[in-house]
């Protein structure tokens, strides 16, 4: 493991109080040359303008969040979701990132069939994978913590994500290994090995697990080292497969968002070196 | 499946606005002859007095909640936990219930080792199982949803619970199958079969999964039929193993607690018949 910042990528949501120019300037000052981006702020700033800003700053984009939400039962809703994912792939290509993160979608209202929902995701991937491949972008299925299974993502484990991804070529569909979502799972080490052996770890993301969880549980992630995730062991498992890609820190936390962005970035870098290197 | 209330047990926490006498009276009026109890209200009312009240009402106790919290690293804390579990077993025997539910405990402060914590649970079970057996009480390990893994229960799946239970005789240590905690897990059906084949399903509990989750996530359970749990499929899987024991409804929900107890009980019974029979 390297003990420098050369592998570190800052997901912009971690410091969402910053505009894109502030993010670019802050990362350059801190000696960090990679960022993960989200569609909404990029669309607001403009895709081409964002690409130019990052190129001018010497920054590369490790992932774009997010596509997905592919579980709709209604044909019109499903068609809209596919259109939106094609647009996300175009945006990813415009930013020269090779990875679009997919949050697959939850159960439609009144539906109780997790298996059926995952099959609809597989069908949608079949439509999207060739489109992604033409643009040089990989679809990265992100398993989300089981507490999101009903309303956000019916893919709750790395095993389920790989069962979906393995129906497609590894350079088209892979997975996200995010410590926040997987830390509790005793099957995660074996599934990381499975993913890495097939070249399907398309993104590796870090956030810590802290409690109590806030209402809605979405923005309860912890700064690295503030919770109970063993980052070094996770990183060792991922790197044992040969993975040497970016390590992206993506933390949703109201307290971090209320602070000075430069201070948060410095803390993330220091915690990364202390806990993940 | 029977379509009557003969299998239904009301966990008192579902209607915690009721005193024990109110619970007994309400259940008798509703034609329900089984309850699940919690230690704190029983201690407050008195164990012997509770036992007498229930005997006079013709009610049996399907489970007592809860023992557990067996993950302490500190020897003094561990010793206190074992003493407390022995007291819980005495209370269970005093109530003539055959099942003490165990919420195993979370990670000690600063600790990140889920595997080690589960091994400490196994050690504690080794000390408690003979004591339980002498009193005719079974220890039922309850896997809790992974969102509780750090602060409440490092046993997150039925598979992990069975890995622990199987080190002991089935009539001493088994598991709780609670739909709220297990609904998301695609391994649950196979693990229910594993548990049932060994006679280790010591308790079967129902609650629905609803969102958004409240802060702290503890009291966000849904009334049967209000969420996305497929109770009939769960019950069929449990009964396919030969299980014909009580079906206990245990819902922690602020809205239910704010309502008239008789109304809540009637609704639970109606929802049970509609969704789980």
């Amino acid at each position: 493991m390297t003990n420098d910042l050369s592998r570190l990528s800052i997901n912009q949501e971690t410091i969402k109080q910053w505009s894109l120019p502030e993010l670019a300037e802050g990362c350059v000052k801190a000696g960090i040359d990679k960022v993960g981006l989200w569609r909404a702020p990029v669309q607001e700033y403009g895709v081409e303008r964002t690409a130019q800003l990052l190129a001018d700053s010497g920054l590369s984009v490790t992932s774009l969040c997010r596509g997905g939400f592919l579980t709709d039962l209604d044909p019109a809703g499903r068609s809209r979701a596919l259109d939106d994912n094609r647009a996300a792939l175009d945006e990813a290509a415009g930013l020269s990132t090779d990875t679009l993160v997919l949050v697959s979608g939850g159960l439609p209202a009144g539906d109780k069939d997790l298996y059926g929902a995952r099959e609809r995701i597989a069908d949608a991937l079949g439509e999207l994978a060739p489109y992604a491949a033409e643009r040089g972008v990989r679809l990265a299925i992100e398993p989300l913590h089981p507490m999101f299974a009903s309303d956000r993502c019916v893919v709750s484990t790395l095993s389920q994500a790989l069962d979906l991804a393995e129906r497609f070529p590894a350079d088209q569909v892979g997975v996200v290994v995010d410590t926040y979502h997987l830390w509790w799972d005793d099957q995660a080490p074996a599934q990381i090995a499975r993913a890495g052996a097939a070249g399907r770890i398309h993104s590796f993301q870090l956030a810590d697990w802290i409690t109590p969880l806030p209402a809605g549980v979405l923005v309860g992630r912890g700064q690295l080292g503030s919770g109970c995730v063993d980052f070094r062991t996770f990183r060792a498992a991922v790197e044992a497969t040969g993975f040497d890609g970016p390590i992206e820190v993506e933390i949703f936390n109201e307290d971090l968002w209320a602070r000075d962005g430069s201070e948060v970035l410095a803390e993330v870098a220091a915690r990364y070196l202390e806990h993940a290197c």
Side-chain angles (χ1 to χ4, degrees), chain A residues 33-185:
Chain A
D33 65 359
K34 286 180 273 299
V35 293
L37 300 182
W38 280 68
R39 291 182 71 196
V42 167
Q43 288 167 351
E44 198 180 320
Y45 193 76
V47 176
E48 281 183 46
R49 200 167 155 228
T50 302
Q52 190 61 53
L53 170 74
L54 299 179
D56 291 347
S57 308
L59 292 166
S60 62
V61 182
T62 53
S63 74
L64 179 66
C65 276
R66 61 184 188 217
F69 292 91
L70 299 168
T71 53
D72 220 314
L73 280 162
D74 165 55
R78 175 179 174 76
S79 175
R80 277 193 302 275
L82 290 171
D83 285 347
D84 188 54
N85 276 272
R86 283 185 279 262
L89 286 163
D90 293 342
E91 291 160 27
L95 296 166
S96 301
T97 180
D98 61 3
T99 303
L100 178 68
V101 173
L102 301 182
V103 173
S104 297
L107 287 170
D111 190 40
K112 298 171 195 277
D113 180 8
L114 291 165
Y115 303 88
R118 288 193 286 265
E119 283 308 304
R120 292 195 295 284
I121 295 165
D123 289 346
L125 290 172
E127 298 203 36
L128 295 171
Y131 191 91
E134 284 168 19
R135 276 146 196 81
V137 179
R138 307 174 303 181
L139 298 163
I141 304 168
E142 179 162 21
L144 257 57
H145 191 284
M147 69 187 176
F148 296 115
S150 70
D151 60 356
R152 197 166 291 271
C153 185
V154 296
V155 180
S156 302
T157 63
L158 198 48
S159 173
Q160 291 170 347
L162 286 165
D163 288 347
L164 288 168
E166 286 172 355
R167 304 188 195 188
F168 306 94
D171 60 355
Q172 291 180 18
V173 185
V175 297
V176 179
V177 173
D178 186 318
T179 61
Y180 187 75
H181 297 299
L182 304 177
W183 76 277
W184 60 272
D185 184 2

Side-chain angles (χ1 to χ4, degrees), chain A residues 172-258:
Chain A
Q172 291 180 18
V173 185
V175 297
V176 179
V177 173
D178 186 318
T179 61
Y180 187 75
H181 297 299
L182 304 177
W183 76 277
W184 60 272
D185 184 2
D186 60 7
Q187 304 300 307
Q191 297 301 320
I192 287 170
R194 173 183 166 197
R200 291 188 194 268
I201 301 177
H202 289 181
S203 176
F204 179 35
Q205 297 185 329
L206 310 184
D208 214 336
W209 179 270
I210 55 173
T211 57
L213 291 161
V217 305
L218 192 60
V219 297
R221 303 191 189 187
Q223 173 65 282
L224 311 186
S226 296
C228 55
V229 173
D230 182 349
F231 293 104
R232 265 195 210 89
T233 298
F234 247 100
R235 182 171 171 179
V238 167
E239 298 194 347
T241 73
F243 177 88
D244 60 0
I247 301 173
E248 195 173 312
V249 175
E250 185 189 53
I251 305 169
F252 307 161
N253 181 300
E254 302 273 6
D255 292 337
L256 294 188
W257 294 334

